[in-house]
Amino acid sequence: MSGPKKKSEGRANQYAYPGLDRVIHERARLSVLTSLARYPKGLRFGDLKELCGLTDGNLSRHMQVLQEAGFVEVEKSFEHNRPQTTCRLTPEGTRRYVEYLAVLEQVIRDAATAVKEGRGRVANVKP
Amino acid sequence: MSGPKKKSEGRANQYAYPGLDRVIHERARLSVLTSLARYPKGLRFGDLKELCGLTDGNLSRHMQVLQEAGFVEVEKSFEHNRPQTTCRLTPEGTRRYVEYLAVLEQVIRDAATAVKEGRGRVANVKP
């Protein structure tokens, strides 16, 4: 077994990532936010559903979580006499999504280092 | 409202990311796997807990999910007459973790493009 030899070798909470906000990190919600970031003026519910590969029920449920967090807003209107639901990011949602992405980039960097250094450790082990 | 004008403009499932395996993507488990990738010969339960900033109960619960998926293994032994639990990645776990990272990198690329193109769309809107 390897692992940190001294308390100081492995930093406490080194891989804890509190910045990976669970509201955003959940896979379906990450899809929703990425889609809405791409179309900041808003997406029809049906188009959003398609981009994310979600069912009506699933998208509704995740939109509710995101609305409660203040990250998205929903507008009901009529288009050619048919009810239309438009979903879009709020300024707060945009800000938090961009912050989240910075943490995700850190995870990728840490992971790349972990895999590289981990492989180095295995290679250095004497049989 | 903007959004895909035609069916063909926004690809169906463009942002669905089925490769973001929920077993790995969950924040605490992502921490556990990144820690174990860094120390492929194994980590003591206590050291792993510290690197991930998790409680005993939380780490146990997530280790169980990862064990059931075949991604990690746990070895019980004695060290200086005291019971010791060592956690490590399995070859399958390493493989799936590396695959997951490739999808995560795609998410980052898509997100960067989404934010950039989204901002471009807003900037191009006539008042």
Side-chain angles (χ1 to χ4, degrees), chain A residues 35 56 58 124:
Chain A
S35 305
D56 274 47
N58 258 334
N124 288 332

Side-chain angles (χ1 to χ4, degrees), chain A residues 59-97:
Chain A
L59 178 53
S60 295
R61 189 165 59 85
H62 289 300
M63 278 298 292
Q64 197 173 341
V65 174
L66 291 168
Q67 264 184 290
E68 280 163 13
F71 295 173
V72 301
E73 57 191 16
V74 168
E75 193 181 277
K76 307 262 182 188
S77 62
F78 280 86
E79 202 172 284
H80 306 301
N81 271 339
R82 291 174 62 185
Q84 203 56 259
T85 302
T86 306
C87 311
R88 68 173 70 85
L89 278 177
T90 61
E92 169 73 1
T94 305
R95 191 176 67 75
R96 295 287 293 275
Y97 175 70

